[in-house]
Amino acid sequence: MIKLKILTVLCSLFLFTSLYASKHNFDFHEYKKEHIHKNLDYLNLNENQLEKIKKTLIKYRKKYAKYTKKRASKELRLKELFKADNFNEEKYEDILEDILEDEIELEIKVLKKIHSILTPEQREKFSFYLKEWRVE
């Protein structure tokens, strides 16, 4: 009985994803199997879009390098706090929140710029790979 329920749920999920993809005229599986991390070929960008995206990503790379140095410094401070005899929760939380705020700010800035460059159809396709653009 349990196997039948599991099979029913799996079939339903498969059907749902198929319907969703066809509803949006987008075959997610087609892109997923051929997709390369952060590759934008599937968007079929025109020359103007391609140039704007390149400039955005170059600018983003420079900001990401600064963020990485800043994060490394904060990570060292977290380690020092942990090594102390008394664990200071407030300081640890403040530093951790700073790291997360920096990540969020950087991610939002680059995604906002990319969003402004893409057409609605391209945004639909891009959204399937949004997780790749997370700052970590």
Side-chain angles (χ1 to χ4, degrees):
M1 186 70 172
I2 292 177
K3 289 180 182 179
L4 183 60
K5 287 181 182 180
I6 292 172
L7 181 61
T8 305
V9 170
L10 290 175
C11 289
S12 298
L13 286 173
F14 178 73
L15 181 61
F16 174 74
T17 55
S18 297
L19 288 173
Y20 179 80
S22 64
K23 176 183 173 190
H24 290 85
N25 197 19
F26 177 70
D27 187 0
F28 175 68
H29 301 291
E30 176 184 321
Y31 285 99
K32 197 66 176 174
K33 67 183 175 187
E34 300 296 325
H35 185 71
I36 299 171
H37 185 70
K38 288 192 178 179
N39 180 344
L40 300 176
D41 288 345
Y42 66 97
L43 295 175
N44 299 318
L45 300 169
N46 64 38
E47 289 297 320
N48 186 34
Q49 288 177 311
L50 191 58
E51 190 60 36
K52 287 179 180 178
I53 294 278
K54 281 182 183 178
K55 286 180 183 178
T56 299
L57 294 179
I58 289 169
K59 188 176 178 181
Y60 167 74
R61 190 179 327 153
K62 290 176 184 175
K63 288 183 179 184
Y64 187 77
K66 288 180 186 177
Y67 158 78
T68 303
K69 286 181 184 178
K70 191 174 175 183
R71 180 181 176 141
S73 170
K74 289 179 182 181
E75 292 287 346
L76 286 174
R77 289 178 34 209
L78 289 176
K79 288 178 183 179
E80 293 302 317
L81 281 174
F82 190 79
K83 291 177 190 176
D85 290 336
N86 295 319
F87 186 74
N88 188 329
E89 287 181 54
E90 288 181 23
K91 281 187 180 179
Y92 195 92
E93 184 178 346
D94 288 344
I95 294 169
L96 203 54
E97 285 176 352
D98 284 346
I99 291 171
L100 294 175
E101 285 174 12
D102 291 344
E103 287 177 6
I104 292 168
E105 184 180 324
L106 187 57
E107 183 177 327
I108 288 173
K109 283 182 180 179
V110 73
L111 290 176
K112 182 178 180 182
K113 185 63 179 168
I114 290 172
H115 180 272
S116 70
I117 296 168
L118 301 178
T119 66
E121 295 80 19
Q122 290 168 328
R123 289 184 207 134
E124 173 80 21
K125 292 176 183 178
F126 185 89
S127 71
F128 284 99
Y129 304 106
L130 197 56
K131 189 173 182 177
E132 292 179 5
W133 295 85
R134 291 271 153 77
V135 175
E136 297 174 352

